[in-house]
């Protein structure tokens, strides 16, 4: 899924960083924060939920998409409003719709929208 998601996001000339674990993602994020984080829930060692909690401590405004093989009920997880879920397998239009939804929500809330998210 990581490779497919990478390809879906890289099509529009985005700068995309793909890593295999939550720990690697957190290290990469600490070096250079991202405009958006897309992560699977099921990761080795650190779960996707744990990664979300770490990212939110570092940069609360960064939007996050959580991918899962089953539907997620994010309100039960008590996560921030700038987090969305997508069910695997997903396609490019579904992913793009979530990205647009997240950045549209940021614009409505008054948060700045990253210029290079596309």
């Amino acid at each position: 899924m990581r490779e497919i998601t990478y390809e879906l996001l890289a099509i529009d000339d985005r700068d995309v960083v793909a890593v295999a674990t939550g720990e690697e993602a957190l290290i990469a994020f600490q070096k250079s924060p991202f405009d958006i984080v897309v992560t699977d829930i099921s990761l080795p060692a650190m779960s996707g939920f744990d990664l979300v909690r770490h990212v939110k401590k570092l940069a609360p405004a960064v939007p996050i998409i959580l991918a899962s093989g089953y539907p997620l009920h994010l309100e039960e997880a008590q996560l921030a409003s700038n987090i969305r879920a997508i069910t695997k397998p997903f396609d490019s239009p579904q992913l793009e719709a979530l990205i647009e939804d997240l950045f549209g929500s940021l614009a409505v809330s008054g948060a700045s929208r990253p210029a290079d998210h596309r």
Side-chain angles (χ1 to χ4, degrees):
M1 274 313 291
R2 177 180 67 243
E3 293 168 4
I4 292 168
T5 303
Y6 175 88
E7 290 176 17
L8 290 174
L9 291 170
I11 287 173
D12 291 334
D13 292 327
R14 293 180 177 111
D15 291 328
V16 181
V17 176
V19 296
T21 68
E23 294 84 359
E24 289 176 15
L26 189 56
I27 290 168
F29 189 85
Q30 289 171 326
K31 288 181 181 177
S32 178
F34 307 128
D35 293 336
I36 188 168
V37 173
V38 179
T39 183
D40 200 305
I41 292 296
S42 300
L43 299 172
M46 179 189 296
S47 74
F49 282 121
D50 290 336
L51 176 60
V52 167
R53 289 181 185 97
H54 286 291
V55 168
K56 287 301 174 189
K57 286 180 185 174
L58 295 169
V62 171
I64 297 174
I65 296 175
L66 290 164
S68 176
Y70 52 91
L72 294 174
H73 303 287
L74 295 180
E75 55 280 346
E76 294 172 10
Q78 298 179 353
L79 298 172
S81 63
N82 59 343
I83 299 175
R84 301 290 186 278
I86 193 167
T87 304
K88 300 182 292 186
F90 53 85
D91 57 23
S92 183
Q94 291 171 305
L95 186 58
E96 289 298 329
L98 276 182
I99 291 170
E100 289 301 318
D101 177 48
L102 281 164
F103 285 102
S105 296
L106 287 175
V108 169
S109 71
S112 62
R113 179 180 176 153
D116 65 346
H117 95 277
R118 282 195 147 251

